[in-house]
Each structure stands twice: as structure tokens, then as C-alpha cells.
Coordinates of all heavy atoms in Angstrom, one line a residue:
M1 N 0.9 -1.2 0.0 CA 0.0 0.0 0.0 C 0.9 1.2 0.0 O 1.9 1.3 0.7 CB -0.9 0.0 1.2 CG -1.7 1.3 1.3 SD -2.9 1.3 2.7 CE -1.8 1.8 4.0
T2 N 0.5 2.2 -0.8 CA 1.2 3.5 -0.8 C 0.1 4.6 -0.7 O -1.0 4.4 -1.2 CB 2.1 3.7 -2.0 OG1 1.3 3.6 -3.2 CG2 3.2 2.7 -2.1
V3 N 0.5 5.7 -0.1 CA -0.4 6.8 0.0 C 0.3 8.0 -0.7 O 1.5 8.3 -0.3 CB -0.7 7.1 1.5 CG1 -1.6 8.3 1.6 CG2 -1.3 5.9 2.1
W4 N -0.4 8.7 -1.6 CA 0.3 9.7 -2.4 C -0.5 11.0 -2.4 O -1.7 11.0 -2.4 CB 0.4 9.3 -3.8 CG 1.4 8.2 -4.0 CD1 1.1 6.8 -4.0 CD2 2.8 8.3 -4.2 NE1 2.2 6.1 -4.1 CE2 3.3 7.0 -4.3 CE3 3.6 9.4 -4.3 CZ2 4.6 6.8 -4.5 CZ3 4.9 9.2 -4.5 CH2 5.4 7.8 -4.5
D5 N 0.2 12.1 -2.5 CA -0.3 13.4 -2.9 C -0.5 13.2 -4.4 O 0.5 13.0 -5.2 CB 0.6 14.5 -2.6 CG 0.2 15.8 -3.1 OD1 -0.6 15.9 -4.0 OD2 0.7 16.8 -2.6
G6 N -1.7 13.3 -4.9 CA -2.0 13.1 -6.3 C -1.2 13.9 -7.3 O -1.0 13.5 -8.4
K7 N -0.7 15.1 -6.9 CA 0.1 15.9 -7.8 C 1.5 15.4 -7.9 O 2.2 15.6 -8.9 CB 0.1 17.3 -7.3 CG -1.2 18.0 -7.3 CD -1.2 19.3 -6.6 CE -2.6 19.9 -6.5 NZ -2.7 20.9 -5.5
L8 N 2.0 14.6 -6.9 CA 3.4 14.1 -7.0 C 3.5 12.7 -7.6 O 4.6 12.3 -8.1 CB 4.0 14.1 -5.6 CG 4.1 15.5 -4.9 CD1 4.5 15.4 -3.5 CD2 5.0 16.4 -5.7
M9 N 2.4 11.9 -7.5 CA 2.5 10.6 -8.0 C 2.9 10.4 -9.4 O 3.8 9.6 -9.7 CB 1.2 9.9 -7.7 CG 1.1 8.4 -8.2 SD 2.4 7.5 -7.5 CE 2.1 5.9 -8.2
P10 N 2.3 11.1 -10.4 CA 2.7 10.9 -11.8 C 4.2 11.2 -12.1 O 4.8 10.4 -12.8 CB 1.9 11.9 -12.6 CG 0.7 12.1 -11.7 CD 1.2 12.1 -10.3
K11 N 4.8 12.2 -11.4 CA 6.2 12.4 -11.6 C 7.0 11.2 -11.1 O 8.0 10.8 -11.8 CB 6.6 13.7 -10.9 CG 8.0 14.1 -11.1 CD 8.4 15.4 -10.4 CE 9.9 15.7 -10.6 NZ 10.3 16.9 -9.9
F12 N 6.7 10.7 -10.0 CA 7.4 9.6 -9.4 C 7.2 8.3 -10.3 O 8.1 7.6 -10.7 CB 7.0 9.3 -8.0 CG 7.6 8.0 -7.5 CD1 8.9 7.9 -7.1 CD2 6.8 6.9 -7.4 CE1 9.4 6.8 -6.6 CE2 7.3 5.7 -6.9 CZ 8.7 5.6 -6.5
R13 N 5.9 8.1 -10.6 CA 5.5 6.8 -11.3 C 6.2 6.7 -12.7 O 6.5 5.6 -13.1 CB 4.0 6.8 -11.4 CG 3.5 5.6 -12.2 CD 2.0 5.8 -12.5 NE 1.8 6.9 -13.4 CZ 0.8 7.7 -13.3 NH1 -0.2 7.5 -12.5 NH2 0.7 8.7 -14.2
N14 N 6.3 7.8 -13.4 CA 6.8 7.8 -14.7 C 8.3 8.0 -14.9 O 8.7 8.1 -16.1 CB 6.0 8.9 -15.5 CG 4.5 8.7 -15.5 OD1 4.1 7.5 -15.4 ND2 3.8 9.7 -15.7
H15 N 9.0 8.1 -13.9 CA 10.5 8.3 -14.0 C 11.3 7.4 -13.2 O 10.9 6.9 -12.2 CB 10.8 9.8 -13.6 CG 10.1 10.8 -14.6 ND1 8.9 11.3 -14.4 CD2 10.6 11.3 -15.7 CE1 8.6 12.1 -15.3 NE2 9.6 12.1 -16.2
N16 N 12.6 7.3 -13.7 CA 13.7 6.7 -13.0 C 13.4 5.3 -12.3 O 13.0 4.4 -13.0 CB 14.2 7.7 -11.9 CG 14.7 9.0 -12.6 OD1 15.1 9.0 -13.7 ND2 14.5 10.1 -11.9
T17 N 13.8 5.2 -11.1 CA 13.8 3.9 -10.4 C 12.4 3.2 -10.4 O 12.3 2.0 -10.4 CB 14.3 4.0 -9.0 OG1 13.6 4.9 -8.3 CG2 15.8 4.4 -9.0
H18 N 11.3 3.9 -10.3 CA 10.0 3.3 -10.2 C 9.7 2.7 -11.6 O 9.2 1.6 -11.6 CB 8.9 4.3 -9.9 CG 7.6 3.7 -9.7 ND1 6.7 3.6 -10.7 CD2 7.0 3.0 -8.7 CE1 5.6 2.9 -10.3 NE2 5.8 2.6 -9.0
G19 N 10.1 3.3 -12.7 CA 9.9 2.7 -14.0 C 10.6 1.4 -14.1 O 10.1 0.5 -14.7
F20 N 11.9 1.4 -13.7 CA 12.7 0.2 -13.7 C 12.1 -0.9 -12.9 O 11.9 -2.0 -13.3 CB 14.1 0.5 -13.2 CG 14.9 -0.8 -13.0 CD1 15.5 -1.4 -14.1 CD2 15.1 -1.3 -11.7 CE1 16.2 -2.6 -13.9 CE2 15.8 -2.5 -11.5 CZ 16.4 -3.1 -12.6
A21 N 11.6 -0.5 -11.6 CA 11.0 -1.5 -10.7 C 9.7 -2.1 -11.4 O 9.5 -3.3 -11.3 CB 10.7 -0.9 -9.4
M22 N 8.9 -1.3 -12.0 CA 7.7 -1.8 -12.6 C 8.0 -2.8 -13.7 O 7.4 -3.8 -13.8 CB 6.9 -0.6 -13.2 CG 6.3 0.2 -12.1 SD 5.2 -0.7 -11.0 CE 3.9 -1.1 -12.1
K23 N 9.0 -2.5 -14.5 CA 9.4 -3.5 -15.6 C 10.0 -4.7 -15.0 O 9.7 -5.8 -15.4 CB 10.5 -2.8 -16.5 CG 9.9 -1.7 -17.4 CD 11.0 -1.1 -18.2 CE 10.5 0.1 -18.9 NZ 11.5 0.9 -19.6
Y24 N 10.8 -4.6 -14.0 CA 11.4 -5.8 -13.3 C 10.4 -6.6 -12.6 O 10.4 -7.9 -12.8 CB 12.5 -5.3 -12.4 CG 13.2 -6.5 -11.7 CD1 14.1 -7.3 -12.3 CD2 12.8 -6.8 -10.4 CE1 14.7 -8.4 -11.7 CE2 13.4 -7.9 -9.7 CZ 14.3 -8.6 -10.4 OH 14.9 -9.7 -9.7
F25 N 9.6 -6.0 -11.8 CA 8.7 -6.8 -10.9 C 7.4 -7.3 -11.6 O 6.8 -8.2 -11.2 CB 8.3 -6.0 -9.7 CG 9.4 -5.9 -8.7 CD1 10.0 -4.7 -8.5 CD2 9.8 -7.0 -8.0 CE1 11.0 -4.6 -7.5 CE2 10.8 -6.9 -7.1 CZ 11.5 -5.7 -6.9
T26 N 7.1 -6.8 -12.8 CA 6.0 -7.3 -13.5 C 6.0 -8.8 -13.8 O 5.1 -9.5 -13.6 CB 5.8 -6.5 -14.8 OG1 5.5 -5.1 -14.5 CG2 4.6 -7.0 -15.6
W27 N 7.2 -9.2 -14.3 CA 7.3 -10.7 -14.6 C 7.3 -11.5 -13.3 O 6.8 -12.7 -13.3 CB 8.6 -11.0 -15.4 CG 9.8 -10.8 -14.6 CD1 10.6 -9.7 -14.5 CD2 10.5 -11.9 -13.9 NE1 11.7 -10.0 -13.7 CE2 11.7 -11.3 -13.4 CE3 10.2 -13.2 -13.7 CZ2 12.6 -12.1 -12.6 CZ3 11.1 -14.0 -12.9 CH2 12.3 -13.4 -12.4
I28 N 7.7 -11.0 -12.2 CA 7.6 -11.7 -10.9 C 6.2 -11.8 -10.4 O 5.7 -12.8 -10.0 CB 8.5 -11.1 -9.9 CG1 10.0 -11.2 -10.3 CG2 8.3 -11.7 -8.5 CD1 11.0 -10.4 -9.4
I29 N 5.5 -10.7 -10.4 CA 4.2 -10.6 -9.9 C 3.2 -11.4 -10.7 O 2.2 -11.9 -10.1 CB 3.8 -9.1 -9.8 CG1 4.6 -8.4 -8.8 CG2 2.3 -8.9 -9.5 CD1 4.4 -6.9 -8.8
H30 N 3.4 -11.5 -12.0 CA 2.4 -12.1 -12.8 C 2.7 -13.6 -13.2 O 2.4 -14.1 -14.2 CB 2.1 -11.3 -14.1 CG 1.5 -10.0 -13.8 ND1 0.2 -9.9 -13.4 CD2 2.0 -8.7 -13.8 CE1 -0.1 -8.6 -13.2 NE2 1.0 -7.9 -13.5
R31 N 3.5 -14.2 -12.3 CA 3.8 -15.7 -12.5 C 2.5 -16.5 -12.3 O 1.5 -16.1 -11.7 CB 4.9 -16.1 -11.6 CG 6.2 -15.5 -11.9 CD 7.3 -16.0 -11.1 NE 7.0 -15.9 -9.7 CZ 7.8 -16.1 -8.7 NH1 9.0 -16.6 -9.0 NH2 7.4 -16.0 -7.5
K32 N 2.6 -17.7 -12.8 CA 1.4 -18.6 -12.7 C 1.0 -19.0 -11.3 O -0.2 -19.3 -11.0 CB 1.7 -19.9 -13.4 CG 1.8 -19.7 -14.9 CD 2.1 -21.0 -15.6 CE 2.2 -20.8 -17.1 NZ 2.4 -22.0 -17.8
N33 N 1.9 -18.9 -10.3 CA 1.5 -19.3 -8.9 C 1.2 -18.1 -8.0 O 1.4 -18.2 -6.8 CB 2.6 -20.2 -8.4 CG 3.9 -19.5 -8.3 OD1 4.1 -18.4 -8.9 ND2 4.8 -20.1 -7.5
T34 N 0.9 -17.0 -8.6 CA 0.6 -15.8 -7.7 C -0.8 -15.3 -7.9 O -1.5 -15.5 -8.9 CB 1.6 -14.6 -8.1 OG1 1.4 -14.3 -9.4 CG2 3.0 -15.0 -7.9
K35 N -1.3 -14.6 -6.9 CA -2.6 -13.9 -6.9 C -2.3 -12.5 -6.5 O -1.6 -12.3 -5.4 CB -3.5 -14.6 -5.9 CG -3.9 -16.0 -6.3 CD -4.9 -16.6 -5.4 CE -5.1 -18.1 -5.6 NZ -5.3 -18.5 -6.9
N36 N -2.7 -11.5 -7.3 CA -2.5 -10.1 -7.0 C -3.7 -9.3 -7.1 O -4.6 -9.5 -7.9 CB -1.4 -9.6 -8.0 CG -0.2 -10.4 -8.0 OD1 0.5 -10.4 -7.0 ND2 0.1 -11.1 -9.1
Y37 N -3.7 -8.2 -6.3 CA -4.8 -7.2 -6.3 C -4.2 -5.9 -6.6 O -3.1 -5.6 -6.0 CB -5.6 -7.2 -5.0 CG -6.4 -8.4 -4.7 CD1 -5.8 -9.4 -3.9 CD2 -7.7 -8.5 -5.1 CE1 -6.6 -10.5 -3.6 CE2 -8.5 -9.6 -4.8 CZ -7.9 -10.6 -4.0 OH -8.6 -11.7 -3.7
Y38 N -4.8 -5.1 -7.4 CA -4.4 -3.7 -7.6 C -5.6 -2.8 -7.5 O -6.6 -3.1 -8.0 CB -3.8 -3.5 -9.1 CG -2.6 -4.3 -9.3 CD1 -2.7 -5.6 -9.9 CD2 -1.3 -3.9 -9.1 CE1 -1.6 -6.4 -10.2 CE2 -0.2 -4.6 -9.3 CZ -0.3 -5.9 -9.9 OH 0.8 -6.6 -10.2
L39 N -5.3 -1.6 -6.9 CA -6.5 -0.7 -6.8 C -5.9 0.7 -6.5 O -5.0 0.9 -5.7 CB -7.4 -1.1 -5.6 CG -8.6 -0.2 -5.4 CD1 -9.5 -0.2 -6.7 CD2 -9.4 -0.6 -4.2
T40 N -6.4 1.7 -7.3 CA -6.1 3.1 -7.0 C -7.4 3.8 -6.8 O -8.3 3.7 -7.6 CB -5.4 3.7 -8.3 OG1 -4.2 3.0 -8.5 CG2 -5.1 5.2 -8.0
Y41 N -7.5 4.5 -5.7 CA -8.7 5.3 -5.4 C -8.4 6.4 -4.4 O -7.3 6.4 -3.8 CB -9.8 4.4 -4.8 CG -9.5 3.9 -3.4 CD1 -10.0 4.6 -2.3 CD2 -8.7 2.8 -3.1 CE1 -9.8 4.2 -1.0 CE2 -8.4 2.4 -1.9 CZ -9.0 3.1 -0.8 OH -8.7 2.6 0.5
S42 N -9.2 7.4 -4.4 CA -9.1 8.5 -3.5 C -9.6 8.1 -2.1 O -10.8 7.7 -2.0 CB -9.9 9.7 -4.0 OG -9.9 10.8 -3.1
A43 N -8.8 8.3 -1.1 CA -9.2 8.0 0.2 C -9.8 9.1 1.0 O -10.2 8.9 2.2 CB -8.0 7.4 1.0
N44 N -10.0 10.2 0.4 CA -10.7 11.4 1.0 C -10.1 11.8 2.3 O -10.8 11.8 3.4 CB -12.2 11.1 1.2 CG -12.9 11.0 -0.2 OD1 -12.5 11.7 -1.1 ND2 -14.0 10.3 -0.2
E45 N -8.8 12.0 2.3 CA -8.0 12.5 3.5 C -7.9 11.5 4.6 O -7.5 11.8 5.7 CB -8.7 13.8 4.0 CG -8.8 14.9 3.0 CD -7.5 15.4 2.6 OE1 -6.5 15.4 3.4 OE2 -7.4 15.8 1.4
T46 N -8.3 10.2 4.4 CA -8.1 9.2 5.5 C -7.2 8.1 4.9 O -7.2 7.8 3.7 CB -9.4 8.6 5.9 OG1 -10.0 8.0 4.8 CG2 -10.3 9.6 6.5
I47 N -6.4 7.5 5.8 CA -5.6 6.4 5.5 C -6.1 5.1 6.1 O -6.3 5.1 7.4 CB -4.1 6.6 5.9 CG1 -3.6 7.9 5.2 CG2 -3.3 5.4 5.6 CD1 -2.2 8.3 5.7
A48 N -6.4 4.1 5.4 CA -7.0 2.9 5.9 C -6.0 2.1 6.7 O -4.8 2.2 6.5 CB -7.6 2.1 4.8
T49 N -6.5 1.3 7.6 CA -5.7 0.4 8.4 C -5.4 -0.8 7.5 O -6.0 -1.0 6.5 CB -6.4 -0.1 9.7 OG1 -7.5 -0.9 9.3 CG2 -6.8 1.1 10.6
V50 N -4.4 -1.6 7.9 CA -4.0 -2.8 7.1 C -5.2 -3.7 6.9 O -5.5 -4.2 5.8 CB -2.8 -3.5 7.7 CG1 -2.6 -4.8 7.0 CG2 -1.6 -2.6 7.7
P51 N -6.0 -4.0 8.0 CA -7.2 -4.9 7.7 C -8.2 -4.3 6.8 O -8.8 -5.0 6.0 CB -7.8 -5.1 9.1 CG -6.6 -4.9 10.1 CD -5.8 -3.8 9.4
E52 N -8.4 -2.9 6.9 CA -9.3 -2.3 6.0 C -8.8 -2.3 4.6 O -9.6 -2.6 3.6 CB -9.5 -0.8 6.4 CG -10.3 -0.6 7.7 CD -10.2 0.8 8.2 OE1 -9.3 1.5 7.9 OE2 -11.2 1.2 8.9
V53 N -7.5 -2.1 4.4 CA -6.9 -2.2 3.0 C -7.2 -3.6 2.4 O -7.5 -3.7 1.3 CB -5.4 -1.9 3.1 CG1 -4.8 -2.2 1.8 CG2 -5.2 -0.4 3.4
R54 N -6.9 -4.6 3.2 CA -7.1 -6.0 2.8 C -8.5 -6.2 2.3 O -8.8 -6.8 1.2 CB -6.7 -7.0 3.9 CG -6.7 -8.4 3.5 CD -6.3 -9.3 4.6 NE -5.0 -8.9 5.2 CZ -4.9 -8.6 6.5 NH1 -6.0 -8.6 7.3 NH2 -3.8 -8.2 7.0
D55 N -9.5 -5.7 3.1 CA -10.9 -5.9 2.7 C -11.3 -5.1 1.5 O -12.0 -5.6 0.6 CB -11.8 -5.5 3.9 CG -11.7 -6.4 5.1 OD1 -11.2 -7.6 4.9 OD2 -12.1 -6.0 6.2
I56 N -10.8 -3.9 1.4 CA -11.1 -3.0 0.2 C -10.5 -3.6 -1.0 O -11.1 -3.7 -2.1 CB -10.5 -1.6 0.4 CG1 -11.4 -0.9 1.5 CG2 -10.5 -0.8 -0.9 CD1 -10.7 0.4 2.0
L57 N -9.2 -4.1 -1.0 CA -8.6 -4.8 -2.1 C -9.4 -6.0 -2.6 O -9.6 -6.2 -3.8 CB -7.2 -5.1 -1.8 CG -6.1 -4.1 -1.9 CD1 -4.8 -4.6 -1.4 CD2 -6.0 -3.6 -3.4
R58 N -9.7 -6.8 -1.7 CA -10.4 -8.1 -2.0 C -11.8 -7.8 -2.6 O -12.3 -8.5 -3.5 CB -10.5 -9.0 -0.8 CG -9.2 -9.6 -0.5 CD -9.3 -10.5 0.7 NE -8.0 -11.1 1.0 CZ -7.7 -11.6 2.1 NH1 -8.5 -11.7 3.2 NH2 -6.5 -12.2 2.3
K59 N -12.4 -6.7 -2.2 CA -13.8 -6.4 -2.6 C -13.8 -5.6 -3.9 O -14.6 -5.9 -4.8 CB -14.5 -5.6 -1.6 CG -16.0 -5.4 -1.9 CD -16.7 -4.8 -0.7 CE -18.2 -4.6 -1.1 NZ -19.0 -4.0 0.0
Y60 N -12.9 -4.6 -4.1 CA -12.9 -3.7 -5.2 C -11.7 -3.8 -6.2 O -11.8 -3.2 -7.3 CB -13.0 -2.3 -4.7 CG -14.1 -2.0 -3.8 CD1 -14.0 -1.9 -2.5 CD2 -15.4 -1.8 -4.4 CE1 -15.1 -1.6 -1.7 CE2 -16.5 -1.5 -3.6 CZ -16.4 -1.4 -2.3 OH -17.5 -1.2 -1.5
G61 N -10.6 -4.4 -5.8 CA -9.4 -4.4 -6.6 C -9.4 -5.2 -7.8 O -10.2 -6.2 -8.0
K62 N -8.6 -4.8 -8.8 CA -8.3 -5.6 -10.0 C -7.6 -6.8 -9.5 O -6.6 -6.7 -8.7 CB -7.4 -4.8 -10.9 CG -7.1 -5.5 -12.2 CD -6.1 -4.8 -13.1 CE -6.5 -3.5 -13.5 NZ -5.5 -2.9 -14.5
F63 N -8.0 -8.0 -9.9 CA -7.5 -9.2 -9.4 C -6.9 -10.1 -10.5 O -7.5 -10.3 -11.5 CB -8.6 -10.0 -8.7 CG -8.2 -11.4 -8.2 CD1 -7.1 -11.5 -7.3 CD2 -8.8 -12.5 -8.6 CE1 -6.7 -12.7 -6.8 CE2 -8.4 -13.8 -8.2 CZ -7.4 -13.9 -7.3
Y64 N -5.6 -10.4 -10.3 CA -4.9 -11.3 -11.3 C -4.7 -12.7 -10.5 O -4.2 -12.7 -9.4 CB -3.6 -10.8 -11.6 CG -3.6 -9.6 -12.6 CD1 -3.8 -8.3 -12.2 CD2 -3.6 -9.9 -14.0 CE1 -3.8 -7.3 -13.1 CE2 -3.6 -8.8 -14.9 CZ -3.8 -7.6 -14.4 OH -3.8 -6.5 -15.3
D65 N -5.1 -13.7 -11.2 CA -4.9 -15.1 -10.7 C -4.0 -15.8 -11.6 O -4.4 -16.1 -12.8 CB -6.3 -15.8 -10.5 CG -6.1 -17.1 -9.8 OD1 -5.0 -17.5 -9.4 OD2 -7.2 -17.8 -9.6
G66 N -2.8 -16.1 -11.2 CA -1.8 -16.8 -12.0 C -1.4 -15.9 -13.2 O -1.2 -16.5 -14.3
G67 N -1.4 -14.6 -13.1 CA -1.0 -13.7 -14.2 C -2.1 -13.4 -15.1 O -1.9 -12.7 -16.1
V68 N -3.3 -13.9 -14.9 CA -4.4 -13.7 -15.8 C -5.5 -12.8 -15.1 O -5.8 -13.1 -14.0 CB -5.1 -15.1 -16.2 CG1 -6.3 -14.8 -17.1 CG2 -4.1 -16.0 -16.9
L69 N -5.9 -11.8 -15.8 CA -6.9 -10.9 -15.2 C -8.2 -11.7 -15.0 O -8.8 -12.2 -15.9 CB -7.2 -9.7 -16.1 CG -8.2 -8.7 -15.7 CD1 -7.8 -8.0 -14.4 CD2 -8.5 -7.7 -16.7
A70 N -8.6 -11.7 -13.7 CA -9.8 -12.5 -13.3 C -11.0 -11.5 -13.0 O -12.1 -11.9 -13.1 CB -9.5 -13.3 -12.1
R71 N -10.6 -10.3 -12.7 CA -11.7 -9.3 -12.4 C -11.1 -7.9 -12.5 O -10.0 -7.6 -12.0 CB -12.2 -9.5 -10.9 CG -13.3 -8.5 -10.6 CD -13.7 -8.6 -9.1 NE -12.7 -8.0 -8.3 CZ -12.4 -8.5 -7.1 NH1 -13.0 -9.5 -6.5 NH2 -11.4 -7.9 -6.4
K72 N -11.9 -7.0 -13.1 CA -11.5 -5.6 -13.3 C -11.8 -4.9 -12.0 O -12.6 -5.3 -11.2 CB -12.2 -4.9 -14.4 CG -11.9 -5.4 -15.8 CD -12.6 -4.7 -16.8 CE -12.2 -5.2 -18.2 NZ -12.8 -4.5 -19.3
A73 N -11.1 -3.8 -11.8 CA -11.3 -3.0 -10.6 C -12.5 -2.1 -10.6 O -13.0 -1.7 -11.7 CB -10.1 -2.0 -10.4
G74 N -13.2 -2.0 -9.5 CA -14.3 -1.1 -9.3 C -14.1 -0.3 -8.1 O -14.6 -0.7 -7.0
P75 N -13.4 0.8 -8.1 CA -13.0 1.5 -6.9 C -14.3 1.9 -6.0 O -15.3 2.1 -6.5 CB -12.4 2.8 -7.4 CG -11.8 2.4 -8.7 CD -12.8 1.4 -9.3
P76 N -14.1 1.8 -4.7 CA -15.2 2.1 -3.8 C -15.6 3.6 -3.9 O -14.8 4.4 -4.2 CB -14.6 1.8 -2.4 CG -13.1 2.0 -2.6 CD -12.8 1.6 -4.0
K77 N -16.9 3.8 -3.6 CA -17.4 5.2 -3.5 C -17.5 5.6 -2.1 O -18.2 4.9 -1.3 CB -18.8 5.3 -4.2 CG -18.7 4.9 -5.7 CD -18.2 6.1 -6.5 CE -18.3 5.8 -8.0 NZ -17.6 6.7 -8.8
F78 N -17.0 6.7 -1.7 CA -17.1 7.2 -0.3 C -18.2 8.3 -0.3 O -18.6 8.8 -1.4 CB -15.8 7.7 0.2 CG -14.8 6.6 0.3 CD1 -13.8 6.5 -0.7 CD2 -14.8 5.8 1.4 CE1 -12.9 5.4 -0.6 CE2 -13.9 4.8 1.5 CZ -12.9 4.6 0.5
E79 N -18.6 8.7 0.8 CA -19.7 9.7 1.0 C -19.4 10.9 0.1 O -20.3 11.4 -0.6 CB -19.9 10.1 2.4 CG -20.6 9.0 3.3 CD -21.9 8.6 2.7 OE1 -22.7 9.4 2.3 OE2 -22.1 7.3 2.6
K80 N -18.2 11.5 0.2 CA -17.9 12.7 -0.6 C -18.1 12.4 -2.1 O -18.6 13.2 -2.8 CB -16.5 13.1 -0.3 CG -16.1 14.4 -0.9 CD -14.7 14.8 -0.5 CE -14.2 16.1 -1.2 NZ -12.9 16.5 -0.8
D81 N -17.6 11.2 -2.6 CA -17.7 10.8 -4.0 C -19.2 10.7 -4.4 O -19.6 11.1 -5.5 CB -17.0 9.5 -4.3 CG -15.5 9.6 -4.0 OD1 -15.0 10.7 -4.1 OD2 -14.9 8.5 -3.7
K82 N -20.0 10.1 -3.5 CA -21.4 9.9 -3.8 C -22.2 11.2 -4.0 O -23.0 11.4 -4.9 CB -22.1 9.1 -2.7 CG -21.7 7.6 -2.7 CD -22.3 6.9 -1.6 CE -21.8 5.5 -1.5 NZ -22.4 4.7 -0.3
K83 N -21.9 12.2 -3.1 CA -22.5 13.5 -3.2 C -22.2 14.2 -4.5 O -23.0 14.9 -5.0 CB -22.2 14.3 -2.0 CG -22.8 13.8 -0.7 CD -22.3 14.6 0.5 CE -22.8 13.9 1.8 NZ -22.3 14.6 2.9
S84 N -20.9 14.1 -5.0 CA -20.5 14.8 -6.1 C -20.9 14.2 -7.4 O -20.8 14.7 -8.5 CB -18.9 15.0 -6.1 OG -18.3 13.8 -6.2
S85 N -21.3 12.9 -7.4 CA -21.7 12.1 -8.6 C -23.1 12.5 -9.1 O -23.9 12.9 -8.4 CB -21.7 10.7 -8.3 OG -20.4 10.2 -7.9

């Protein structure tokens, strides 16, 4: 889990060591014997606990089973998000 200021994330994500890490770890993460969840969402100024993160990922995250996409992500909607929708 990482927590980011949305303005700083693209600069970090798209440059230098993170780009290298993404290329390197992609083949490790998507092996046949792994299960992975990915999710990006706005936490509305709150940081979830580890158990909350686990539950949110399992419920809403993009899920890869053995390197194959098994489910697309559907980020959670929080009260602030619901009102603005």
C-alpha cells in the first residue's frame, strides 16, 4: 500500500527507479503461482488500516490469478464521492 499526494504521484511513477522496478517486478508478480490485487482510489483524507486495506482490495481491486486478469477494478465510492456524482 502506498499513499500519495495526487500531484506528486505521476512524476514519481513515470520516471527513474520506479519505472525500472515496474518493468522488473511485472514478470515476478504475474507468474502462474501468484494472486495479486491492484487498486487506485481517493481515500478522501483518510488512510485505511491494514485490515481495512485488505478488505477493500479483495472487494474492489483488480485481481490477477496466475498472471491472468480475473476481475477488473471497481473503486469504492465514499460519501464525498457519492454526493459529487
Side-chain angles (χ1 to χ4, degrees):
M1 176 176 80
T2 57
V3 178
W4 290 93
D5 174 340
K7 296 172 187 164
L8 299 175
M9 179 56 181
K11 183 177 178 182
F12 172 77
R13 179 191 61 216
N14 297 335
H15 294 89
N16 303 325
T17 55
H18 186 264
F20 170 78
M22 290 301 294
K23 290 177 187 174
Y24 178 76
F25 287 110
T26 296
W27 71 271
I28 294 172
I29 292 170
H30 294 289
R31 292 186 303 187
K32 291 181 180 179
N33 60 345
T34 61
K35 295 182 186 317
N36 302 295
Y37 293 91
Y38 297 93
L39 182 62
T40 301
Y41 71 96
S42 173
N44 293 332
E45 304 294 327
T46 61
I47 300 173
T49 65
V50 172
E52 290 170 333
V53 168
R54 188 177 308 119
D55 292 342
I56 291 168
L57 277 172
R58 288 180 178 159
K59 186 172 182 179
Y60 300 104
K62 182 189 297 185
F63 176 58
Y64 285 88
D65 188 359
V68 176
L69 180 62
R71 183 185 71 214
K72 293 183 179 181
K77 298 282 186 191
F78 294 101
E79 288 304 314
K80 185 176 178 182
D81 296 334
K82 289 179 184 176
K83 291 177 186 174
S84 64
S85 300

